Amino acid sequence: MTDQRITKDTADANMADYAATRAAFSWADAQARLAGLPGSHLNIAHEAIDRHVAAGHGTQIALRWIAKSGACTDYTYADLAHQTNRFANVLRARGLQPGDKVYGLLGRVPELYIAALGTLKAGCVFCPLFSAFGPEPIQARMQIGGANALITSTRLYKRKVAGIRDTVETLKEVFTIDGAASGTTELAPLMDAASDTFTTAQTDPEDPALLHFTSGTTGKPKGVVHVHQAVVAHDTTGRLALDLRPGDIYWCTADPGWVTGTSYGIIAPLTNRATMIVDEAEFDVSRWYDILSGESVNVWYTAPTAIRMLMKAGADAIGVRAFPDLRFMASVGEPLNPEAVIWGAETFGMPFHDNWWQTETGGIMIANYAAMDVKPGSMGKPLPGIEAGIVEVNGDDVVELTEPMAMGELALRPGWPSMMRGYLHEQARYEKCFKGGWYLSGDLAMRDADGYFWFVGRADDLIKSAGHLIGPFEVESALMEHDAVAEVGVIGLPDDTAGQIVKAYVALKPGHEPTEDLRLDLMGHARKRLGPAVAPKEIAFRQNLPKTRSSKIMRRLLKAREMGLPEGDISTLESDET
Ligand code: ATP
Ligand code: MG
């Protein structure tokens, strides 16, 4: 934790008066900003696209796609309306009915965006899969969700789906975007033949719209169901937490295979009538700076791992580029170390604004919004319409801890529009999330006297050492301050005397060697910052830390490997060089 504050000149920022905005806020008013469909119906795709076309904004660019080659293709809101209509017509023509599940297994290509929104228009449920998944995670997710159709490429189909297709009995149709493979239907001729008009399905706000699988950081991924009503939260939080304004150039770097890439990589920017930048390529320092600068990005939403990689490359990598149009930078997915927030302020003239949410919450719940002073290391404050608390759970009793900096489970009062409506086939587990009038997040946090929330760690990752409760984030952030450190994961290991001891796994920045001297230096730094009770007793160097494909450090895997325990579900594991 740090006492530092980054203050801002926010005279014209949204939520300049946080308390007043919260007091005046209602989800009904938030919904009234949207168009809706006749008879109290609501459809996400209508709010994202057709509403803007009807209001005369059809010629605005909705999506600028940057291919790996660097070539750009623009889609206006009118183009997206026509293409999504065609896709919805294709689904209908091939016999898919409202409520059927359409899966996407594609990289960041325009067809994915068109399919997602066209699926919603048709009243079907869209389920994105990360394109780097292997056959088994794909099979499991299609079986759990009961996939009825899949849109993919011939390459991905042959490598990952063909071998498991027969095991997914519900799967009727596989569309391929680049020709046909044996057993698939080529999409392009169907799109060409389809009408570009379509009457959007009159979906009920409570009709399922999206199926997302969690990141699998703590165990087997869960299938989370969201409904069309969620669009009210996407729209509101896009505006209030990400400061999106009509006409903004907006870049969300998350892949649509994850909830961030859908809620804030497709829906929120479109409902807020922004222009989305979609980059097909993977992370690359110089390419990213080119995009930020060359595309005149106004609002940038990214993640701690990417930020740490940019930090690792050093500010020199920016060269002569400038970012005069950049107005707001935000981060999600993992705790954002204070170092990274401050680096943002030094490098771009504004801090990264951390925000917190989960697949289950469907949208941002706690955020550093544009008008607030940023305390580096804090997740910010609950958004209007969201009541968050720190609670202690004892059996069926849930007690809110109101003392500043009391540590407990982060909980939310249910009732916001994008709250999950269920874990697929896991009703008991879903019900266990709700107790004493709260939704229990499984994360530990603290709230300070100013109402700022501070992430401590996942409940599973809390370390109990010699009577102290230690959150891995605090230890990781202290080590991140050291010049040599690029990335850290901290876990507790069983110990006869202390119960647990703190162990840190450190990946170094280029130019630093994993020497004994450096290890001692890091130990010394941590002791000075944290005190001997909290500082790690052991530090090990690693080339890389094991991460999920959505870039979260898998502490449970560090622990399992250290202790020689089974690795559990590793279907979402990405970099695995330890
Ligand atoms: P699983 O539930 O399968 O273990 P997961 O929890 O990582 O995976 P997600 O829903 O993608 O799946 O991630 C939500 C979690 O990510 C949060 O519960 C929290 O632990 C972490 N997280 C997200 N944003 C932040 C943040 N700003 N600061 C700290 N942690 C965050
Ligand atoms: Mg989770």
Side-chain angles (χ1 to χ4, degrees):
M1 253 192 72
T2 147
D3 299 331
Q4 199 170 348
R5 246 176 203 259
I6 300 176
T7 53
K8 289 180 264 164
D9 176 12
T10 51
D12 68 341
N14 88 55
M15 283 214 287
D17 188 338
Y18 172 73
T21 313
R22 272 183 78 82
F25 183 87
S26 80
W27 284 114
D29 288 349
Q31 179 150 359
R33 298 172 67 99
L34 301 175
L37 290 170
S40 304
H41 292 105
L42 185 67
N43 186 287
I44 295 175
H46 181 76
E47 304 304 333
I49 310 170
D50 296 76
R51 167 172 74 109
H52 301 309
V53 177
H57 302 292
T59 56
Q60 186 190 318
I61 298 172
L63 189 166
R64 164 161 292 184
W65 181 59
I66 308 174
K68 281 183 188 152
S69 67
C72 285
T73 313
D74 288 340
Y75 293 79
T76 63
Y77 275 88
D79 294 336
L80 269 195
H82 293 143
Q83 297 286 32
T84 52
N85 286 346
R86 285 179 194 273
F87 190 75
N89 278 315
V90 169
L91 292 180
R92 280 283 185 283
R94 305 298 292 192
L96 287 142
Q97 298 301 320
D100 281 352
K101 279 119 190 161
V102 178
Y103 278 52
L105 177 71
L106 284 170
R108 288 180 297 277
V109 292
E111 288 87 346
L112 177 63
Y113 296 76
I114 290 162
L117 293 157
T119 297
L120 297 174
K121 274 192 173 173
C124 297
V125 178
F126 188 70
C127 177
L129 293 177
F130 192 61
S131 60
F133 277 153
E136 274 169 32
I138 292 170
Q139 176 190 38
R141 285 162 180 73
M142 289 208 291
Q143 284 174 341
I144 293 172
N148 302 109
L150 170 71
I151 173 164
T152 185
S153 66
T154 52
R155 190 181 63 91
L156 290 170
Y157 180 78
K158 285 182 201 155
R159 284 178 39 205
K160 304 180 176 204
V161 184
I164 52 107
R165 180 176 181 168
D166 290 347
T167 65
V168 186
E169 284 165 12
T170 48
L171 188 61
K172 292 193 282 236
E173 188 84 69
V174 177
F175 300 106
T176 35
I177 63 167
D178 54 348
S182 160
T184 76
T185 306
E186 187 179 358
L187 185 62
L190 299 181
M191 289 287 278
D192 288 344
S195 161
D196 66 3
T197 61
F198 183 81
T199 304
T200 297
Q202 304 291 296
T203 34
D204 186 89
E206 285 300 313
D207 282 345
L210 298 162
L211 171 60
H212 282 296
F213 287 88
T214 59
S215 289
T217 314
T218 53
K220 186 164 171 272
K222 297 149 275 192
V224 171
V225 180
H226 288 292
V227 297
H228 281 275
Q229 181 86 16
V231 69
V232 179
H234 297 146
D235 181 62
T236 304
T237 54
R239 187 164 41 85
L240 297 182
L242 299 181
D243 200 36
L244 280 173
R245 304 173 192 178
D248 270 349
I249 311 286
Y250 167 76
W251 187 25
C252 170
T253 63
D255 189 275
W258 305 104
V259 71
T260 306
T262 310
S263 296
Y264 297 98
I266 305 180
I267 302 169
L270 294 178
T271 66
N272 281 286
R273 197 161 52 77
T275 295
M276 314 189 284
I277 303 292
V278 173
D279 182 23
E280 186 186 18
E282 295 310 317
F283 176 85
D284 176 83
V285 174
S286 135
R287 184 172 174 112
W288 275 37
Y289 285 138
D290 278 346
I291 292 175
L292 276 176
S293 151
E295 297 299 335
S296 307
V297 171
N298 305 120
V299 177
W300 181 29
Y301 195 20
T302 189
T305 302
I307 296 169
R308 288 193 290 258
M309 288 198 281
L310 294 174
M311 290 168 71
K312 188 170 163 185
D316 285 355
I318 294 176
V320 295
R321 298 178 193 91
F323 314 100
D325 299 299
L326 197 56
R327 190 181 77 240
F328 192 77
M329 314 195 298
S331 165
V332 73
E334 276 209 301
L336 185 65
N337 314 95
E339 265 322 274
V341 177
I342 295 161
W343 180 82
E346 287 167 0
T347 309
F348 299 98
M350 71 199 82
F352 283 103
H353 295 76
D354 186 21
N355 56 56
W356 175 93
W357 57 291
Q358 309 177 299
T359 311
E360 289 87 340
T361 70
I364 302 170
M365 299 283 106
I366 297 180
N368 286 285
Y369 51 87
M372 80 195 271
D373 290 356
V374 170
K375 299 190 190 186
S378 161
M379 312 189 287
K381 295 185 181 185
L383 290 178
I386 302 300
E387 193 189 330
I390 303 294
V391 305
E392 194 171 80
V393 184
N394 285 316
D396 282 338
D397 277 351
V398 180
V399 181
E400 185 173 5
L401 308 177
T402 49
E403 272 292 293
M405 299 318 270
M407 191 214 293
E409 185 160 356
L410 177 55
L412 304 160
R413 291 282 186 203
W416 67 93
S418 62
M419 181 64 211
M420 68 165 162
R421 298 303 195 265
Y423 284 134
L424 265 192
H425 313 309
E426 294 193 85
Q427 183 62 16
R429 185 171 195 175
Y430 171 71
E431 284 167 14
K432 257 179 74 182
C433 299
F434 300 90
K435 234 180 228 181
W438 293 96
Y439 162 73
L440 303 171
S441 71
D443 286 344
L444 299 174
M446 304 182 287
R447 175 176 40 199
D448 71 17
D450 299 328
Y452 284 65
F453 281 72
W454 298 80
F455 184 80
V456 172
R458 292 169 187 262
D460 294 353
D461 292 336
L462 189 70
I463 303 164
K464 297 179 187 111
S465 183
H468 296 274
L469 291 178
I470 303 167
F473 178 48
E474 185 185 9
V475 182
E476 289 164 8
S477 290
L479 286 167
M480 278 295 292
E481 290 168 4
H482 194 286
D483 270 352
V485 177
E487 209 162 46
V488 199
V490 163
I491 60 168
L493 290 177
D495 179 78
D496 286 345
T497 335
Q500 283 185 306
I501 56 152
V502 178
K503 174 154 186 175
Y505 298 81
V506 171
L508 297 173
K509 285 184 185 157
H512 296 271
E513 293 304 317
T515 60
E516 185 58 17
D517 279 354
L518 179 56
R519 207 174 58 79
L520 292 174
D521 196 42
L522 287 172
M523 293 271 207
H525 169 79
R527 283 214 188 100
K528 205 158 62 201
R529 286 285 287 104
L530 302 165
V534 177
K537 297 274 180 293
E538 290 179 24
I539 293 180
F541 293 113
R542 292 285 185 270
Q543 286 289 321
N544 271 313
L545 301 179
K547 292 196 205 80
T548 65
R549 292 205 176 275
S550 53
S551 294
K552 294 165 192 273
I553 296 172
M554 291 172 96
R555 294 176 189 80
R556 71 173 161 98
L557 213 56
L558 288 170
K559 195 162 180 166
R561 287 175 178 174
E562 180 76 48
M563 297 173 61
L565 296 172
E567 294 196 340
D569 185 299
I570 51 165
S571 62
T572 61
L573 176 65
E574 183 192 35
S575 66
D576 196 17
E577 190 197 334
T578 55

